[in-house]
Coordinates of all heavy atoms in Angstrom, one line a residue:
I235 N 1.0 -22.1 8.3 CA 0.2 -21.1 8.9 C 0.7 -20.9 10.4 O 0.7 -21.9 11.1 CB -1.3 -21.4 9.0 CG1 -1.9 -21.6 7.6 CG2 -2.1 -20.4 9.8 CD1 -3.3 -22.1 7.5
D236 N 1.1 -19.7 10.7 CA 1.6 -19.5 12.1 C 0.6 -18.7 12.8 O 0.1 -17.7 12.3 CB 2.9 -18.7 12.1 CG 4.1 -19.5 11.5 OD1 4.1 -20.7 11.6 OD2 5.0 -18.8 10.9
V237 N 0.2 -19.1 14.0 CA -0.8 -18.3 14.8 C -0.2 -18.1 16.2 O 0.3 -19.0 16.8 CB -2.1 -19.1 15.0 CG1 -3.1 -18.4 15.8 CG2 -2.7 -19.5 13.6
D238 N -0.1 -16.8 16.6 CA 0.4 -16.5 17.9 C -0.8 -15.8 18.6 O -1.5 -14.9 18.1 CB 1.5 -15.5 17.8 CG 2.8 -16.1 17.2 OD1 3.0 -17.3 17.5 OD2 3.5 -15.4 16.5
I256 N -5.4 -12.6 17.9 CA -4.3 -13.5 17.4 C -3.6 -12.8 16.2 O -4.1 -11.9 15.5 CB -4.9 -14.8 16.9 CG1 -5.9 -14.7 15.7 CG2 -5.5 -15.6 18.0 CD1 -6.3 -16.0 15.1
Y257 N -2.4 -13.2 16.1 CA -1.5 -12.8 14.9 C -1.4 -14.0 14.0 O -1.0 -15.0 14.4 CB -0.2 -12.3 15.4 CG 0.8 -11.9 14.3 CD1 0.7 -10.7 13.7 CD2 1.8 -12.8 14.0 CE1 1.6 -10.4 12.7 CE2 2.7 -12.4 13.0 CZ 2.6 -11.2 12.3 OH 3.4 -10.9 11.3
L258 N -1.9 -13.8 12.8 CA -1.9 -14.9 11.8 C -1.0 -14.6 10.7 O -1.0 -13.5 10.1 CB -3.3 -15.2 11.3 CG -3.5 -16.3 10.4 CD1 -4.6 -17.2 10.8 CD2 -3.7 -15.8 9.0
Q259 N -0.2 -15.5 10.2 CA 0.7 -15.3 9.1 C 0.9 -16.6 8.3 O 0.9 -17.7 8.8 CB 2.1 -14.9 9.7 CG 3.2 -14.6 8.7 CD 4.5 -14.2 9.4 OE1 4.8 -14.7 10.5 NE2 5.2 -13.4 8.7
T260 N 0.9 -16.4 7.0 CA 1.1 -17.6 6.1 C 2.5 -17.4 5.5 O 2.9 -16.3 5.1 CB 0.0 -17.7 5.0 OG1 0.0 -16.5 4.2 CG2 -1.4 -17.9 5.6
I292 N -7.9 -18.5 3.3 CA -8.0 -19.1 4.7 C -9.3 -18.7 5.3 O -9.6 -17.6 5.4 CB -6.8 -18.7 5.5 CG1 -5.5 -19.2 4.9 CG2 -6.9 -19.2 6.9 CD1 -4.2 -18.7 5.6
I294 N -11.5 -19.4 8.9 CA -11.5 -19.9 10.3 C -12.9 -20.4 10.6 O -13.8 -19.6 10.6 CB -11.1 -18.8 11.3 CG1 -9.7 -18.2 10.9 CG2 -11.0 -19.4 12.7 CD1 -9.3 -17.0 11.8
S318 N 3.2 -13.8 3.9 CA 2.0 -13.1 3.4 C 0.9 -13.2 4.4 O 1.0 -14.0 5.3 CB 1.6 -13.8 2.1 OG 0.6 -13.1 1.5
D319 N -0.1 -12.5 4.2 CA -1.3 -12.5 5.0 C -1.0 -12.3 6.5 O -1.6 -13.0 7.3 CB -2.1 -13.8 4.8 CG -2.9 -13.8 3.5 OD1 -3.2 -12.6 3.1 OD2 -3.3 -14.8 3.0
S320 N 0.0 -11.5 6.8 CA 0.3 -11.2 8.2 C -0.8 -10.3 8.6 O -1.1 -9.3 8.0 CB 1.6 -10.5 8.3 OG 2.6 -11.4 7.8
M321 N -1.5 -10.7 9.7 CA -2.7 -9.9 10.1 C -2.9 -10.1 11.6 O -2.6 -11.2 12.1 CB -3.9 -10.2 9.3 CG -4.4 -11.6 9.4 SD -5.8 -11.9 8.3 CE -5.0 -12.2 6.8
V322 N -3.5 -9.1 12.2 CA -4.0 -9.3 13.6 C -5.5 -9.4 13.5 O -6.2 -8.6 12.9 CB -3.6 -8.1 14.4 CG1 -4.2 -8.2 15.8 CG2 -2.1 -8.0 14.5
L323 N -6.1 -10.5 14.1 CA -7.5 -10.7 14.0 C -8.0 -10.8 15.5 O -7.4 -11.3 16.4 CB -7.8 -12.1 13.4 CG -7.5 -12.3 11.9 CD1 -7.7 -13.7 11.6 CD2 -8.4 -11.4 11.1
F347 N -8.6 -24.1 10.8 CA -8.3 -23.3 9.6 C -8.4 -24.2 8.4 O -7.9 -25.3 8.3 CB -6.9 -22.8 9.7 CG -6.7 -21.9 10.9 CD1 -6.3 -22.3 12.1 CD2 -6.8 -20.5 10.7 CE1 -6.1 -21.5 13.2 CE2 -6.6 -19.6 11.7 CZ -6.2 -20.1 13.0

Side-chain angles (χ1 to χ4, degrees):
I235 300 174
D236 295 327
V237 179
D238 290 325
I256 62 171
Y257 177 76
L258 183 130
Q259 180 178 32
T260 59
I292 297 175
I294 305 172
S318 186
D319 282 336
S320 300
M321 63 185 81
V322 175
L323 294 172
F347 297 86

